[in-house]
Amino acid sequence: SPSDLGGAKALAGDAGLDEDAAKLWGQQLHTLLEHLPNLPEQEWADAASSLLQGLTDNVRHELLSEAKTVLKAPALAHIFAPDTLAEVSVSGTVFGHRTRGIIDRLVVTPDRILAVDFKTNRTVPNDPTECPEGILRQLGCYANMLEQIYPKRHIETAVLWTRRPVLMSMPHDLVTAALLRSPRLDVSRDGS
């Protein structure tokens, strides 16, 4: 799995929720960002109540507030446009290893593919070179698989940091180099 290639997923000193709570928060926010764009804004609160059952009103409100901030950001409108794809399953052979993953949002145009991964980290890096290694490896893996699926299109990856919210484009060389550093892939054996 692209998300299981090793490396840190958060910046050092990231003060936030413990790991299990952070994963749960991320899953719940992903659920909102997957489903709410398909609904009129006036239905978002009811949808959140239905999608996030078993949570306190305060937690549900915080999650909905973060999702609204993302979905209403004008600079991110193209990520959630009706012709974009949500929760896209992809697979490919990455350095001899069969790999499957799910891309949070995929923007497909005739000449370009943009894979966007949502990250709910409390601490957001200032630029791509500060991005945690595990996230870079994951994006490198997505780029590798998408190049196999769309060989004639320009492949781009980006992280949507939900906390700010900001879309951070990731240089192809940066994510590819991180993928090559993954100890989970025996790159040298394949001569790559």
Side-chain angles (χ1 to χ4, degrees):
S1 165
S3 61
D4 192 30
L5 293 174
K9 299 286 183 154
L11 293 173
D14 191 357
L17 304 170
D18 67 48
E19 187 174 350
D20 289 339
K23 283 181 183 178
L24 183 58
W25 180 273
Q27 290 166 352
Q28 292 162 334
L29 190 59
H30 276 66
T31 296
L32 293 179
L33 294 176
E34 177 185 358
H35 295 285
L36 296 186
N38 302 323
L39 301 170
E41 184 179 345
Q42 63 268 22
E43 295 179 19
W44 289 358
D46 288 340
S49 293
S50 177
L51 292 166
L52 305 176
Q53 294 180 8
L55 300 178
T56 66
D57 288 342
N58 285 344
V59 170
R60 193 169 35 253
H61 175 75
E62 286 180 48
L63 284 159
L64 181 58
S65 178
E66 190 166 331
K68 279 183 179 180
T69 301
V70 170
L71 294 172
K72 293 174 86 173
L76 302 176
H78 68 289
I79 301 300
F80 299 100
D83 60 345
T84 61
L85 304 170
E87 298 296 314
V88 179
S89 295
V90 292
S91 66
T93 302
V94 180
F95 303 122
H97 297 273
R98 192 74 183 146
T99 308
R100 290 184 305 272
I102 297 176
I103 298 173
D104 295 330
R105 209 76 186 182
L106 199 63
V107 180
V108 179
T109 67
D111 59 345
R112 172 179 169 259
I113 305 295
L114 172 61
V116 179
D117 195 52
F118 303 154
K119 295 300 180 193
T120 58
N121 299 42
R122 300 289 189 211
T123 303
V124 176
N126 293 316
D127 67 68
T129 61
E130 296 176 5
C131 189
E133 180 76 4
I135 294 171
L136 295 175
R137 290 176 185 175
Q138 181 178 0
L139 292 173
C141 191
Y142 289 152
N144 187 292
M145 289 188 289
L146 289 168
E147 287 169 348
Q148 296 169 50
I149 298 166
Y150 299 101
K152 296 183 183 205
R153 299 192 204 185
H154 179 70
I155 307 297
E156 298 176 24
T157 58
V159 173
L160 172 51
W161 301 101
T162 63
R163 202 68 177 164
R164 280 197 192 158
V166 65
L167 184 68
M168 184 180 285
S169 293
M170 294 292 166
H172 187 73
D173 291 346
L174 182 67
V175 298
T176 299
L179 176 63
L180 291 171
R181 289 190 296 269
S182 176
R184 308 279 168 108
L185 299 174
D186 186 358
V187 176
S188 62
R189 182 182 67 193
D190 296 320
S192 300

